[in-house]
Amino acid sequence: ISQGSGANITIGNGKVAAVFTDGAGSGAAVLDAFADLELSSTLTVAGASTLTGAVTAAAGITMTGTTPTLTIGDAGTEDTKIIFDGNAQDYYVGLDDTADDFVIGKGSTLGTTQAVAIDENLRIGIGSGVSPASTVALKLAGTYAAVSGDANVGIHVNHAITGTPNEDIVGIRVAPSMTEAGSGTHTNIFGLQVGPSLTGAGASVTNSASLYVSAAMAGATNNYALWVDAGISRFDDDVVMNNDAKLRVDGNPSGDTYIFNAGGNTLDVV
């Protein structure tokens, strides 16, 4: 649509536009009435809307209806993301199309400084730059720099639990359900496997342990640091008892039998 020698407007086939002229006579320009449109009140759109440019909302956005849905992406081979633009740090959530993973991380570039990743098989990787592993349901890994403090801890579980009457209280329960293969041989099946490693870097190390129990709880009639309720316990190496600790043999509270080191190299049985 043209009038005079000024700018004109092209309206696509099947499209509708509101236009006006600037009144400049033979040199008049035809302008789009909705270009740089500013509304001071509420805009209500009853049908679907297609926006081809960037949209900036200076306030909140509320989606209503029976099943409100926000779709990001058009099935193209590309990353899609939401960026949280903070003062000191930015964070993102999105789809890393290269890895086909849903990721959460720091910054604004998908796949960098990644903290969480979920793949198409719902396997999860958590940690600095950790990707899901094809044979692991939940993988916790990553490399972290040393920090000052009482201890450098990989995972810290410190929740508070209030019990209900006549029920057990359990801090962490590990109860996987495992099914053996239909053929072949499983050398081992473990409910829980502990096998850490220590790399020497020059520091002096006094003690190390794959599993350390600092103490038994207190307050119960019987307080145990380790309780094997049933089944055989197997030790393929030495068992060391320090500080005149005793090994109870029969477990009869009224007349226990102990094997213990009473000092020096003497082994007493009482």
Side-chain angles (χ1 to χ4, degrees), residues 108-119:
S108 58
T109 303
L110 232 61
T112 62
T113 53
Q114 176 181 295
V116 179
I118 305 174
D119 70 9

Side-chain angles (χ1 to χ4, degrees), residues 116-119 122-126 130-133 136-140:
V116 179
I118 305 174
D119 70 9
L122 301 184
R123 298 183 183 274
I124 303 171
I126 298 178
V130 176
S131 297
V136 180
L138 174 61
K139 179 180 179 180
L140 304 176

Side-chain angles (χ1 to χ4, degrees), residues 7 11 26 59-61 76-77 79 110 150 154 167 171 180 190 208 210 224 236 238-239 242 248 268:
I11 303 174
S26 63
I61 297 176
T77 306
D79 294 342
L110 232 61
D150 178 61
E167 296 288 343
E180 63 185 31
F190 302 125
S208 70
S210 296
Y224 307 107
D236 286 351
D238 296 344
V239 176
N242 290 327
R248 179 181 294 178
D268 292 341

Side-chain angles (χ1 to χ4, degrees), residues 37 83 108 110 117-118 138 148 166 168 173 207 216 225 232 237:
L37 176 66
I83 298 175
S108 58
L110 232 61
I118 305 174
L138 174 61
S148 60
N166 306 314
D168 292 344
R173 173 173 284 144
N207 299 300
I232 298 173
D237 212 325

Side-chain angles (χ1 to χ4, degrees), residues 8-72:
N8 55 39
I9 293 292
T10 299
I11 303 174
N13 185 30
K15 303 296 182 181
V16 177
V19 300
F20 66 96
T21 67
D22 61 3
S26 63
V30 180
L31 305 174
D32 187 344
F34 292 151
D36 299 323
L37 176 66
E38 181 177 342
L39 299 176
S40 59
S41 186
T42 302
L43 173 65
T44 301
V45 180
S49 299
T50 300
L51 305 174
T52 57
V55 177
T56 301
I61 297 176
T62 301
M63 300 174 58
T64 61
T66 305
T67 55
T69 302
L70 175 64
T71 301
I72 301 177

